[in-house]
Amino acid sequence: MLKIFYFAHLREQVGRECDDLALPDGVVNVAELIEFLKNADPAVNHIFESTPKILVAINQVVVSRDSKVTKNDEIAFFPPMTGG
């Protein structure tokens, strides 16, 4: 079971902190998972449309969108970080 977390303003826009999801058939990487989530939930689609540079972490390591996803991964989505 995937555990999907939304952080910062993404959590506010989606209206929840996390989702539990069985790895969908045919989804093997982050980009495919994002497309699945966008098609399944208008709120998730909205966050990816309104914040195009969302960062992704798998098991607490920031990854690229072509990184593989496996059935027990923890996926986190968060907005780009700013310095200060």
Side-chain angles (χ1 to χ4, degrees), residues 16-80:
R16 60 192 178 276
E17 179 179 328
C18 63
D19 289 319
D20 292 317
L21 177 71
L23 184 62
D25 291 337
V27 171
V28 296
N29 63 34
V30 171
E32 292 171 348
L33 177 62
I34 290 170
E35 284 305 309
F36 175 86
L37 294 170
K38 286 170 55 177
N39 290 325
D41 186 333
V44 174
N45 184 58
H46 175 73
I47 67 168
F48 280 97
E49 294 300 320
S50 64
T51 310
K53 294 185 179 183
I54 291 174
L55 297 174
V56 182
I58 297 177
N59 303 324
Q60 302 178 2
V61 176
V62 176
V63 299
S64 66
R65 298 208 176 183
D66 63 349
S67 296
K68 291 193 184 276
V69 176
T70 60
K71 66 180 179 176
N72 293 313
D73 284 338
E74 176 185 287
I75 311 293
F77 295 115
F78 49 100

